[in-house]
Amino acid sequence: MHTSHFYHNQGRKCFWIILGLVLLVFQSAYSQDIGVKVRHFSNDEGLLTPMVNEMHLSDDGYLWLATLGALVRFDGTDFKAFMPTNAEPKSINFTSLAFDEKGKVYAVGTDPLKQRRLYSLSHGSIHLQPVKMGEVFPKSIRALIPSEAGEFALVTEEENIFIFAEGTITKVFSSPLLTPITHLKPTPEYLFIKTISGEIYRLDRKGNAVRVPPSEFAQQVGNQFQVASVDIDLTSKNIAASDCFFPTQPSLIPRAIDPILENAIFAFPFPRAHLTWILQKKSISLFDGMDQNWLDFSTLLGSFPKAQGIKCAVMDPSGQIWLGTNDGIIAIKPTFSFSQHLFTDRDAKGNAYSFRGITEWKGSLYANSYSGIVKHSFSDQNSNLLQPKIKFNHLLAAYSATDTALWMADGQQLYRFYDTDSEPVVYNLPQSDSFPYNSLEIWSMLQDQKKRLWLGTSVGLAVLDSLESKIRFVESKDTTAKINHISQAKDGLLLCSSSGIQYFDFAHGFDAAEHQYKDLQTLTEGIPIYHLWEDEVGTFWLASHGKGLLQWRPGEGDMKIWDEGTGLGSNHFHAVYEDYRGSLWLPSDDGLYVLDPKSGRAIRLTKQNGLTDSEFNRISHYRDEKGTLYFGGVAGINRITPVDFYRFVPDTVEQLGWDSANLLYIDGNNAEAIQSFPVANHPIELDASVTNVNVKLLNLMDFTLFEYTWKSASDHWEKSHEPILHISHLPSRSDELLVRAFDDLGNYAGSISIPFKVRPAGWIYTIISILLVCMVVSIPGWIAYRRWFAKRILTDNPYSKLTNLPAELDTKHVDPFMEKMEEVLKENISLPEFGVSQLSEALCLSRKSLYRKTNQLIGKNPNDFIKEKRLEYARKLLSISELNISEITFRAGFSSSSYFSNCYKKHYGLTPKEHRKQISAKSKNV
């Protein structure tokens, strides 16, 4: 299945590009595809100077662009352009840039008269300033070559190379006969310099330059260069060693002094997975060092004809490549499918295979499905449906302990296959006076050391004592419990049942008075347990329905619960398996969860992440001896190798940056940007009068979800699907805003802590506040307010007993744009995830245009407008319906009742509960 995960994100709108060519992706023996996710930013996304000549990723997380017309800073969402004072639009062509150790930006620009000048941008400045040449800096600089620690090289028109470090300029090289310098390649010992005539010079740290022939350079650097411990043979791509004049470290900006040279090569090692990007002007390749394969993605450049190829490139910490072109910037991020899909087609009747039991036997995978027994051969990767003469009714459990037999359960029948070409031996469950025979089913199986086959059925435990005997039920006090899973225990069996964990002792049966699992049995009483796993240190992990994942250590009198309340995301799991890293895999009805118990981090994988489906069946799971995992559902079986999964999933958390914080004061008229980026040990200072803070995060890495909370209340996390956090509940004292970001896998991949300091209000503000409070709470004022409120209730609430909710929202604006915006919001108001991004997409506007439009028309940003409409709708529901607060929270589109209550009280002065009590009291008085 050659499926590329390639799509094009035009700013904030995603759509699929249909290529006239086949986009090549890598597919291993287990269908592990590597594709690319592409985003394009140009004029429509706010980059008004889209001819990009150079790029640099600064330490504080911004992407800086040297363009025709401006020096541009990009935070992942918006572009900010910097130009010299009084410069005409697009009059200066900026071609290179660098930073010193203090974060000051330097850029080389060429004016219409072809005169090059050096400009600088200090922190906090909005204009580029020309640098006076001839004093510190040499004259006629034509290129800057940045490196680590604030050092950078300068190349002059006289073909001299200078090093700028700690405010000092040092001349290190002069090209003989003023031959133009075209390439630089730093190595740990030397700086290699290439001129337009092909001459190569080796410069050591003492400033000694030696000319070396290309053959010697090839010997010193070689056609095989090492990136991230992987040797890459460039000869297979027809790339000569003399062309490789670019650093392979992602911390350096690799490029030629003339960035449009045809032979320029960019080499970027992916932070993990043994992958390396190899880029040329019109070529994009990805080298897989693990399999020694080349992946070619060059065809995607055909989707951007105005780009005219790649001019410059840089890689961010997430492994995302940013390409500078004549048509803006292009972000390319690898996407991986870590699951091999089995049986995703349909049967002869056109039905999808819906799977139950899975097992491995004689080198092949066998699985029960509604369509019959299916087989997948690992040797030749062939899959087929078995065709025995018997007719299957309801296939469930599958099991194999040795190569001598394959056991398959079908309703009340148990089948034993010696080989799949012969008809099976059939065993029948015995009749029971307590239950209808057709209700009996076999859900689980286990063979013990005495070759007895234990069967977990819908009415308790049964056993086949020998191949010649008949199945018999084991007497138990609880004959209504369904046995979902059987696990070998010391001197007996542990049974995962619909009523909890049960222990069966081989000597005393269910009547064993004392055993080491008694606490576990007591703690899980009444909890449906579907599966268990005992790890290497003896901890038991139990997959339950209703209580999430349960953790129990023998000897402890209590269990730890991992569920929705602890951030796991679900309370219903079908199974639990441990991988070689100690992480736990949990299939459920709404995705496959991967939990790292050490850090508490959980990932939710769904169909969007390359699985066959997001819904898994209850007993359709299996782990082989090598640790390979199998999870089945309606649409097929997923075969997952954890080693491959971790190869592509980041195991580090990147430090997020943030752009600015805006304060909104209590009078509603003031907004102030208070800080452009965080300074160490310098918190954001707030007045006590501030009611709202909007914090904008940098998002070059395309995180899809942000969660935030105050450190003093870290048990409750708010969510945002956009990199702007709208914070209305502010601390009354100094606190820290904790932020964590999640990628499109749901993986916790970024974090930041922003300190805040709240100043007490000034004495004038305090006196005014006290006077206002006194006026409001005065007896005449209070009586007048009560009369007004009662009249308002009678006007707004003529149908206080109505249970059918109105679907409409009030439309007070006559502007066509506002009518359209309210209509869209009306259709989506119950969706918590519907925010500014979704609204701007529905209105076919960029976020920036939407913010500008709403501020012009109503003096509010769209996020506040959405929140106010949700609160108005919630208020109406409180007035004319009998829904409880939780239901109204959901209907109004709030993600949690506590957040809804806080917002409601901020807006109306009462909590929803207090408001409803007041409405009820007014109705009784009337």
Side-chain angles (χ1 to χ4, degrees), residues 39-41 52 55 63 65 74 79 322-323 327-331:
R39 296 183 294 151
H40 179 219
F41 301 85
V52 179
M55 295 189 297
L63 183 65
L65 316 175
F74 183 49
F79 295 90
W322 293 87
L323 309 178
D327 187 22
I329 55 176
I330 302 170

Side-chain angles (χ1 to χ4, degrees), residues 500-681:
I501 290 292
Q502 298 182 15
Y503 175 70
F504 176 79
D505 187 271
F506 288 145
H508 303 96
F510 288 105
D511 297 325
E514 297 295 331
H515 53 82
Q516 65 186 86
Y517 308 104
K518 193 169 184 179
D519 288 342
L520 179 60
Q521 191 167 325
T522 302
L523 290 169
T524 60
E525 186 175 357
I527 302 174
I529 307 296
Y530 274 74
H531 191 251
L532 70 80
W533 180 269
E534 183 181 4
D535 64 22
E536 293 181 352
V537 298
T539 300
F540 284 81
W541 300 91
L542 314 176
S544 80
H545 273 216
K547 291 292 185 179
L549 177 67
L550 309 177
Q551 178 184 0
W552 178 74
R553 293 184 178 91
E556 294 186 0
D558 202 359
M559 296 186 300
K560 182 176 181 178
I561 298 177
W562 303 75
D563 58 6
E564 288 180 331
T566 60
L568 186 52
S570 179
N571 293 335
H572 305 276
F573 298 109
H574 306 330
V576 52
Y577 290 100
E578 184 184 31
D579 63 30
Y580 72 98
R581 288 177 48 160
S583 293
L584 302 172
W585 295 72
L586 309 161
S588 72
D589 286 336
D590 64 340
L592 175 62
Y593 291 82
V594 185
L595 171 67
D596 178 7
K598 295 178 182 178
S599 66
R601 291 165 55 187
I603 302 174
R604 175 176 173 262
L605 306 173
T606 65
K607 187 175 182 179
Q608 293 180 343
N609 306 122
L611 300 178
T612 59
D613 200 359
S614 300
E615 181 180 353
F616 296 91
N617 289 335
R618 295 186 177 183
I619 63 170
S620 190
H621 47 81
Y622 176 69
R623 181 184 188 269
D624 66 18
E625 293 181 351
K626 297 179 180 179
T628 304
L629 302 171
Y630 300 84
F631 300 106
V634 176
I637 294 176
N638 298 273
R639 182 182 190 270
I640 299 173
T641 305
V643 172
D644 287 337
F645 174 78
Y646 292 118
R647 182 184 173 199
F648 302 121
V649 174
D651 56 3
T652 58
V653 178
E654 298 293 339
Q655 176 71 11
L656 297 176
W658 59 283
D659 189 2
S660 63
N662 291 328
L663 304 185
L664 301 180
Y665 290 93
I666 196 167
D667 60 11
N669 296 323
N670 294 323
E672 176 190 355
I674 57 173
Q675 198 169 348
S676 60
F677 64 91
V679 179
N681 302 319

Side-chain angles (χ1 to χ4, degrees), residues 813 815 817-818 821-822 851-862 864-866 868-869:
H813 304 282
D815 184 89
F817 174 80
M818 294 304 301
M821 188 163 66
E822 291 190 346
Y851 269 82
R852 184 172 60 250
K853 190 82 172 175
T854 54
N855 279 322
Q856 289 174 351
L857 292 174
I858 58 175
K860 300 174 184 176
N861 66 55
D864 290 339
F865 176 80
I866 293 172
E868 285 184 11
K869 287 300 178 182

